[in-house]
Amino acid sequence: MTNNICKDFKLSQDDWLIEEKKYHPHKQAMYESLFTLGNGYLGMRGAFEENPHGSYRGMYIAGVFDKAESYVREIVKVPGWNDFSVWVNGNKFSIDTCKVISHKRALDMKKGILHRTTIMKNPDGKKLKFESKRMIFAHQVRGALMCVSITPMNFSGEIKVISGLNGDVTNQGYFPEERIKHLNVVSMQRDKESIYLEMETRDDKTKIAIAADTVYMGNNLNIIKVNRVYGEKFAQEMIFKAEKGSQYNFAKWISVFTSREGYERQINSTATDLLRDMMYEGVDYHVKKHVETREKMWQTADVQINGDRRAQKGIRFNIYHLLVIKPHHDPTVSIAAKFLTGEGYKGHVFWDTEIFMLPFYIYNFPEEARNLLMYRYYTMAGALKNSREMGYKGAKYAWESADSGEETTPNYGLRADGSSVKIFTGDEEHHIVSDVAYGVFNYMQATKDTDFLYKYGAEIIFQSARFWLSRVEKRRDRYEIRKVIGPDEFHEHVDNNAFTNYLVMWHLEYALTIYNQMQKNAPEVLKALIKKIALESEEIEKLKVVSKTIFLSYDQKSELIEQFEGYFSLDDFTVSELDSNGLPLWPKGLDLSNLERTQLLKQADVVLLLYLFPDRFSPDLKEKNYNYYEARTMHKSSLSPCIYAITGLDIGDHKRAYDYFIKTSYIDLLDANKNTGDGIHGAATGGAWMTAIHGFAGMRLRRNNLCFDPWLPKKWQEISYTCFWQGSLLQVKLNHKNISLKVIDGKAVNVTVRAKQYKVSSKKITTVKLGPKY
Amino acid sequence: MTNNICKDFKLSQDDWLIEEKKYHPHKQAMYESLFTLGNGYLGMRGAFEENPHGSYRGMYIAGVFDKAESYVREIVKVPGWNDFSVWVNGNKFSIDTCKVISHKRALDMKKGILHRTTIMKNPDGKKLKFESKRMIFAHQVRGALMCVSITPMNFSGEIKVISGLNGDVTNQGYFPEERIKHLNVVSMQRDKESIYLEMETRDDKTKIAIAADTVYMGNNLNIIKVNRVYGEKFAQEMIFKAEKGSQYNFAKWISVFTSREGYERQINSTATDLLRDMMYEGVDYHVKKHVETREKMWQTADVQINGDRRAQKGIRFNIYHLLVIKPHHDPTVSIAAKFLTGEGYKGHVFWDTEIFMLPFYIYNFPEEARNLLMYRYYTMAGALKNSREMGYKGAKYAWESADSGEETTPNYGLRADGSSVKIFTGDEEHHIVSDVAYGVFNYMQATKDTDFLYKYGAEIIFQSARFWLSRVEKRRDRYEIRKVIGPDEFHEHVDNNAFTNYLVMWHLEYALTIYNQMQKNAPEVLKALIKKIALESEEIEKLKVVSKTIFLSYDQKSELIEQFEGYFSLDDFTVSELDSNGLPLWPKGLDLSNLERTQLLKQADVVLLLYLFPDRFSPDLKEKNYNYYEARTMHKSSLSPCIYAITGLDIGDHKRAYDYFIKTSYIDLLDANKNTGDGIHGAATGGAWMTAIHGFAGMRLRRNNLCFDPWLPKKWQEISYTCFWQGSLLQVKLNHKNISLKVIDGKAVNVTVRAKQYKVSSKKITTVKLGPKY
């Protein structure tokens, strides 16, 4: 791929690249998801410029939701800007209608640039080389750039280039093929050169403004340029006489603003001004800034794995997506289950964020981790409303949350045969409430950010604990939680799900801990908060009682935690065969319509508890439960394998950990679930990082300490990364023999390696020899 | 065509039918215009139900305009409802992709119903008979109905019917292929059965609400019906098992409301309620009502020509379009140059309405004629603004008028080579101001509607006369009007255009006449009006002076009126050859880029004056001017031939009259100008009626009398029609020997036949023998 436009377009080394080496018409949607570019504010799928058949292009803006004819409020596909096509004699050069002579795309994860080179021959025999480099700026969240080079290889003559802003966008509907229109056009303005498209959401009239300009990057070419309107699509059309063998370079600049961020009155001039400024500063300047910003993020975030290129590429791919979704600009948005890479799960935020993604941010970008938690603070009004509407008190966080925090789980879904099925997760999957609390706890341990805790975190904890006080039911001498769905969604309407009940117990204890801590350290702040949320002393008393007497179904003899009351008396099936991908096959003789009558699990449930609270269960209990549930887990969720990997490593079962790690980190790269086209599996990206760091590197939080208890796969010569711990940035390198630690920014910290404490400072590298783990 | 659904679907006799006897893929747009259905409120092009390639479907609502990205405010294409397609195995039966076994459409002009029967075979060999009957209700302007019958002829199996409301509509843009989006979607609601689509215009937020339901009209068929959203398109989908040879009948009901008529708050329930009511009353009831209403209109409007089927069909086609555009519901809208049949001239109202269409309504539907003039009253604010902006006083009616009366003539147009050319008609073609006044005069003569005159007409006349008082320029002892365009648009920026100056003279005289008449008969009304519009006595004095001293360039010796000052010294070319359609060929040696330097005319200019004022010029002068200008007229406007036909008959030149009549009445049926696809030539429809009635039947207004001076083409055995004259409905029958007259409703009236007065009453038929005219 030529880099004659800008030196910063030079491709990084292979282990930073995700490549598409030939054109697969039926894998377009998958590559579009994989090649998503973004910066937390914007996410744009990596669709081909000419919009061939089978493409599902889309750009999304964090926090921009709308309902319209959709069944629930959903992330809005906003006008796209990657539309760029080359026409000769009225015919478009398109990869799906031309003969593809060669084709290659590469996502340079290090630089955050998507490269394409396609040579195609149209039915008239004309050969064209089409090259593009595309980025969504990391240094300027409202800006983006695409450089396109076209070379007529065997012909001269008039070429027309159409470069569009596509306002004619709709979201995928709930029923197959339905299309939801979320945006209405407000204005389309032709400046002398540039174009400006302003649309607004149907429900809230949130304005989306995009200014764009496409310019020829050479001299002495007579180009006729006109800006034309095709309904809601705005196109810049350029016509010029091309000469065989010459390369013609264009730069397409974009600026994006929305009224959601307060740009209401001046949105037009604001967008146009930024566009002009960026164009004035030029391609070289902005590509350099973008690459520098991306590379700086990688300095903190990268996990280097020596000796295993597959693992290296896999972990980087997952970190890449965690990086480009990182919402550093805005504490009122969170990260959706599919990031901003597609419309799967409608852009909704699930527990995936707090349990599976948050750890990456806590240890790499604590400020952004705080932002993610702030989303739960800013959406508390919705959570309070959810409670009220269910007849409860306090904050019931939504199982699926959009922008207001109100419950947005669809009420029904579609079976494969097209019939609809009631969805109960919004009504019953209440552990989300304590998952959020756990997120606060997890963040607090690593950061000691009492400013956050006192101002926001405590309110989240208290209001969500209050929900449980109204939700639990007293039966005899204990408190129960009935009719819930645990993480294992094969079983609905269950009573006393162990995961939920245990987490609630912990949640109420944590609320008390914070209450006591604030009473001691910040009594005035606590007083004000008590007043603000009208917290009664009876509620504090009830926290104590409920947290001590909540029911947990546990079989003393076998040391097995029962997933929920009555689980052990269900039909017992165990997994005995794996498919070619190493995933469980349904046991023989099973009636799939009666799954809820069996002990088979969709995903980690009790085992997830063992992962979240590594100190609270004995190794023996962990092992017994791990073995019992592992044999019954179907891994029908991308959230499952990583938890088994980490818990397995915790109890010394290494045999499946590496497989689980590869499964998790390659779930999208291999399109293992056949739905990567709908978007990246966000929890799996976090899960991959967790498996590497909490699993193999063995870095866990135990008894409030940062502990290392590593175990590396044989071929991993070294794993190295940096992480933040209580304000200090720590460099970690470890191989099969040693672990080396050094503070590279901040104060000295205490860490535990294999149960022994060490003080690590910035002065020297602390190296600890590692004996065999078991 | 089968009529087993409703007996009123029976086709009328052949001379009431316009037929398409086979499928012409490239004539779709033409037939769509010809087959437009309407009721004055709605106009819908006769597009195929399945939307084949090359279709330009569209529905328009009188008075609904918008600008958005268009260069001027234009009529808005609103959501269509004729979308109805049949699918088997995911493939649509469409006339453009199937083999057409047989195809026929017939517009039953008498009943206002469009019939279609198509038998087509798809690529799988499946044969389907598709029949439809479509109407826009005459009795209920907000309602419409389409009955569709489908018969699988050689197969059984699952059939899917998709019946849509197309909100995904855009107008044709100014540049070729540009598309203008005027409507944004407000809401799409699925009722239990029906669907409801509400959109609003971009600029004024005028709401367009359409409720629709498609129902199966038989029993015992298991149909799965779902209502689905595809962006801005709403579709009802019905799936059923069809049996070979069985006919399946569906009725699609529509109700349309807009906030323009005040249905703002309750627009949804209002539209849905009307839909329910109509559906409850049923197909038989509504088709009967519709046909009765249409036929009743024809009783007044029809012109029967015995002995000439071609002329009969031609005149009926033109009257059909005048009938279906008749705005009986609303005095704030007028009739556009292309009616509501297409987007040519952007739905703008020109002088065509007052000069070419109004006579038909004056003599057939005087109330609607009054409505058309009321439009000029309601848009006076715009006309006053136009004057102010040009530095003049009074009311400058717009050359092209939309809904406000403000000037909406585009500032430039496109040449054939794509380059743009400044359009001056909006700036200079000022005779429109007096054309409106002439319309008032014409209406008043036939109706004596002093209620209209005193309340509205006088204000129009005074305000528009006032414009001229500020527009004329005094030079030496005379008043001149410089830098205008007359009806002949080949010559721009001319001084003292005879047509304009003469009409202004008459206009000012007429203003004085009305002033004097009101002073005598209604002094209080006049006083109030003077106060309202602040009319000064100096202005009345100036009316007298200007009307007496306005300049008219007239050559005493030749008795030729000079079209404008200096016209006679231009290069003189005359027409010597006609093309195969009988239209003039450009004279040899002519430089087309220098047309303005020649005496060649686009259309009647001086001759139009002779037509408008038949009493004011001597037969000798008329003949000389007719002969002079006729030889120089290129007839590049559909407004031209009819004026020459009538004036020719007036002076005894019969030889071209019939040809001109056929040319005028068949201009669209033969697509003579190759642009019928853009819409019907409205002025020509009025011109055809004028030629038949004012020309052949010789019914003219002379010296305030209704005069008959007929001359019939040889093969016309009889022409008969009815007309209103001063409140009485007159039956007129005439052949080559006699004219028979009778009042069929109202008081006795005096008429003049061949210069002799007769009293015509309702008691007996008055028959007058006709000698040879000349």
Side-chain angles (χ1 to χ4, degrees), chain A residues 178-179 181 184-185 229 231, chain B residues 178-179 184-185 229 231-232:
Chain A
E178 257 203 334
R179 313 285 321 152
K181 180 154 180 58
N184 276 330
V185 62
V229 165
Chain B
E178 256 203 334
R179 314 286 321 154
N184 276 330
V185 62
V229 166
E232 292 175 300

Side-chain angles (χ1 to χ4, degrees), chain A residues 536-559:
Chain A
E536 318 244 343
S537 53
E538 290 83 359
E539 291 179 296
I540 304 301
E541 289 310 306
K542 194 172 175 187
L543 281 178
K544 294 177 192 165
V545 176
V546 176
S547 65
K548 280 186 190 129
T549 54
I550 199 159
F551 175 58
L552 200 73
S553 183
Y554 172 65
D555 184 63
Q556 208 89 30
K557 211 174 107 200
S558 64
E559 284 190 82

Side-chain angles (χ1 to χ4, degrees), chain B residues 38-42 136-138 140-143 294 324 326 328:
Chain B
N39 57 22
Y41 177 62
L42 302 174
I136 288 192
F137 288 151
Q140 165 52 278
V141 292
R142 305 179 191 291
R294 268 282 154 258
V324 300
K326 186 164 67 72
H328 55 282

Side-chain angles (χ1 to χ4, degrees), chain B residues 399-465:
Chain B
W399 176 246
E400 298 189 22
S401 187
D403 50 351
S404 71
E406 287 170 64
E407 186 60 70
T408 53
T409 306
N411 269 320
Y412 57 99
L414 282 188
R415 290 202 188 86
D417 69 355
S419 63
S420 67
V421 53
K422 161 75 185 154
I423 294 175
F424 287 100
T425 52
D427 305 309
E428 297 189 358
E429 200 154 352
H430 291 171
H431 63 82
I432 176 68
V433 176
S434 296
D435 300 332
V436 171
Y438 186 87
V440 172
F441 161 78
N442 211 359
Y443 169 74
M444 285 306 302
Q445 297 305 306
T447 62
K448 301 288 178 208
D449 181 0
T450 48
D451 176 72
F452 166 77
L453 184 68
Y454 293 171
K455 282 192 191 148
Y456 313 108
E459 191 172 335
I460 294 173
I461 299 294
F462 294 156
Q463 287 284 32
S464 51

Side-chain angles (χ1 to χ4, degrees), chain A residues 757-771:
Chain A
Q757 279 231 351
Y758 299 88
K759 184 167 186 163
V760 178
S761 76
S762 61
K763 289 180 188 140
K764 64 171 186 62
I765 296 170
T766 304
T767 302
V768 181
K769 269 203 190 320
L770 298 166

